[in-house]
Amino acid sequence: MPTTSHARRSYLPEPQAERRGIALCLSGGGFRAALFHLGALRRLNELGILSQIRTLTAVSGGSTIAAHLANHAADWRRPMCTAEWEQTIAEPFRAFTSRNLSAWPVLKGWLLWWSNAGVEELAHRCDTRLRLSNVTLERLKNDADWSFCAVNLVTGEQQVLNGHLSPDWPVARAVAVSSCFPGFFRPYCETEPHRIALVDGGVDDNLGVEPVWRSHETLLVSDGGDPLRPEWSRSALWLVRAAFVTWAQGQDARKRWLLSNFIDGELKGTYWGIDSSVEHYPQTPPSFGYSQELSRDVIAVIRTDYDAFSDAEAAVLENHGYFLAEAAASAHLTTIDRRSAPFVIPHPAWLSERKIRDALRDSSKKRLLGRH
């Protein structure tokens, strides 16, 4: 079918020769997604892929681990050994997710509903606990292209927060705005130099692929987001359920579009999702990974919030991300030499599915005042 120049510019990737390296996309999904990404990042580091990332996009929960990674860019820009990764990246981030992050910011935002107080408090907590030291997005430009994704309710379009478009923004504020989930937080509003009302980037694109799919040679997409599951609506008018169904259909359509482009060869790269299993990757030996039933029925229903996560939850999620990143890379990134990348399971004590089911039996339940 003949296409116009407008159609090629708007709906097709740029010519292969003009694309810019590897882009890594970290989805939203609260601390659940962030810990899932942590495991995937560990394996990408071991494989030597992480140090080659040209652009990193992040949404909501993915923004927290992206900010933590950006804060240690000098370390992971060369492949780190397992012990160094654990000490520098993994252990501090698990400690970050072991404390409730959002309860007070949400409450403060509702008490001062006319202001940005809730989002600013969330930013303050991110800045303090991740030790971001009020670093601005402009400081990240020389390392890689770090993009935190939000949605502008005024225009209805994605708002990318990075060192080129929002240089004076603190990284912590970009994380908080990207995590500004409607209903819990009032939109982050500014009137100068133009009107914006920013909310969680997952409202539009929970995968974070929109800023990079046209312009990069390879996309690596880690999806810790929440799949829609059958349930009886608790809303008398079913309005909340209808909104979630509408949102889920949009996310599913984007995922199908992405995977169909991988299959057809229009885009290069790979995707792994939290409700999937290594069983879906035929080149993967059956010697590691969690079953499809455990992935779908236990791990993928863990709550997607910023409440405190237990050691067991963190370990299982990190293992799961590690397993799936290895399986996806093995199946679809065939140029990688694995001989120098030993497969070292992050938490070998958490491989028993019976033990995991017992430890995570209440992990899907959200608590109004948080866990601790």
Side-chain angles (χ1 to χ4, degrees), residues 237-270:
L237 298 177
W238 292 79
L239 293 178
V240 174
R241 181 64 176 174
F244 276 112
V245 169
T246 301
W247 174 84
Q249 292 298 321
Q251 301 304 316
D252 285 347
R254 191 181 298 272
K255 177 181 172 181
R256 289 193 296 271
W257 161 83
L258 175 69
L259 296 183
S260 66
N261 276 275
F262 282 153
I263 293 170
D264 291 342
E266 292 292 335
L267 297 174
K268 295 181 180 180
T270 187

Side-chain angles (χ1 to χ4, degrees), residues 1 7 25 35 81 87 172 225 230 247 249 273 289 298 346 355:
M1 176 186 293
C25 307
L35 289 163
C81 70
Q87 181 179 5
W247 174 84
Q249 292 298 321
V298 178
K355 178 181 177 180

Side-chain angles (χ1 to χ4, degrees), residues 198-225:
L198 304 182
V199 296
D200 191 309
V203 170
D204 172 55
D205 170 19
N206 200 49
L207 297 180
V209 299
E210 189 61 31
V212 294
W213 72 269
R214 296 192 67 244
S215 56
H216 286 70
E217 181 181 3
T218 303
L219 302 186
L220 308 179
V221 183
S222 182
D223 183 9

Side-chain angles (χ1 to χ4, degrees), residues 32-363:
R32 185 187 78 181
L35 289 163
F36 176 72
H37 300 326
L38 177 64
L41 291 167
R42 179 190 287 258
R43 188 55 183 158
L44 294 180
N45 169 71
E46 293 171 352
L47 292 170
I49 299 172
L50 186 60
S51 60
Q52 302 177 41
I53 299 298
R54 174 70 180 269
T55 299
L56 192 149
T57 65
V59 182
S60 193
S63 294
T64 60
I65 183 63
H68 178 60
L69 204 62
N71 207 28
H72 296 277
D75 297 308
W76 61 263
R77 269 308 176 188
R78 48 165 182 80
M80 302 168 68
C81 70
T82 299
E84 188 180 6
W85 176 272
E86 174 65 23
Q87 181 179 5
T88 305
I89 305 295
E91 186 178 354
F93 192 75
R94 288 196 299 269
F96 170 68
T97 64
S98 69
R99 299 170 59 193
N100 183 290
L101 181 71
S102 61
W104 170 236
V106 169
L107 179 59
K108 185 174 182 179
W110 279 104
L111 291 174
L112 303 173
W113 57 268
W114 59 87
S115 70
N116 291 322
V119 179
E120 293 289 10
E121 179 62 27
L122 183 63
H124 172 71
R125 288 193 166 202
C126 290
D127 186 71
T128 303
R129 296 184 186 181
L130 289 174
R131 300 180 181 179
L132 300 176
S133 303
N134 289 310
V135 170
T136 63
L137 292 172
E138 185 175 30
R139 287 276 301 275
L140 304 182
K141 283 196 307 184
N142 296 330
D143 172 60
D145 187 359
W146 300 83
S147 295
F148 300 87
C149 302
V151 175
N152 187 353
L153 295 183
V154 175
T155 63
E157 298 175 345
Q158 185 179 70
Q159 183 100 8
V160 177
L161 306 169
N162 59 32
H164 304 285
L165 302 176
S166 313
D168 296 332
W169 272 50
V171 173
R173 186 195 295 165
V175 173
V177 169
S178 180
S179 306
C180 184
F181 193 77
F184 292 92
F185 289 98
R186 171 185 179 271
Y188 179 85
C189 296
E190 289 183 356
T191 57
E192 297 294 338
H194 51 267
R195 290 182 177 273
I196 57 172
L198 304 182
V199 296
D200 191 309
V203 170
D204 172 55
D205 170 19
N206 200 49
L207 297 180
V209 299
E210 189 61 31
V212 294
W213 72 269
R214 296 192 67 244
S215 56
H216 286 70
E217 181 181 3
T218 303
L219 302 186
L220 308 179
V221 183
S222 182
D223 183 9
D226 216 10
L228 188 71
R229 300 184 179 280
E231 68 175 40
W232 183 261
S233 176
R234 292 180 291 272
S235 170
L237 298 177
W238 292 79
L239 293 178
V240 174
R241 181 64 176 174
F244 276 112
V245 169
T246 301
W247 174 84
Q249 292 298 321
Q251 301 304 316
D252 285 347
R254 191 181 298 272
K255 177 181 172 181
R256 289 193 296 271
W257 161 83
L258 175 69
L259 296 183
S260 66
N261 276 275
F262 282 153
I263 293 170
D264 291 342
E266 292 292 335
L267 297 174
K268 295 181 180 180
T270 187
Y271 163 97
W272 56 91
I274 196 169
D275 62 342
S276 185
S277 165
V278 297
E279 300 166 14
H280 293 173
Y281 297 88
Q283 297 184 30
T284 302
S287 58
F288 68 90
Y290 298 133
S291 70
Q292 175 59 43
E293 291 74 22
L294 186 78
S295 303
R296 181 191 62 229
D297 301 334
V298 178
I299 301 175
V301 299
I302 296 174
R303 64 200 178 280
T304 55
D305 57 19
Y306 285 144
D307 202 353
F309 271 55
S310 69
D311 291 343
E313 291 167 335
V316 172
L317 285 164
E318 190 174 354
N319 276 354
H320 193 39
Y322 185 90
F323 294 148
L324 287 174
E326 163 63 19
S330 177
H332 300 296
L333 305 179
T334 55
T335 61
I336 298 171
D337 182 5
R338 284 170 177 71
R339 291 173 295 182
S340 60
F343 188 80
V344 183
I345 298 173
H347 305 280
W350 287 98
L351 297 179
S352 167
E353 298 205 356
R354 178 178 297 180
K355 178 181 177 180
I356 291 170
R357 286 181 181 274
D358 183 60
L360 273 56
R361 64 181 180 275
D362 294 325
S363 293

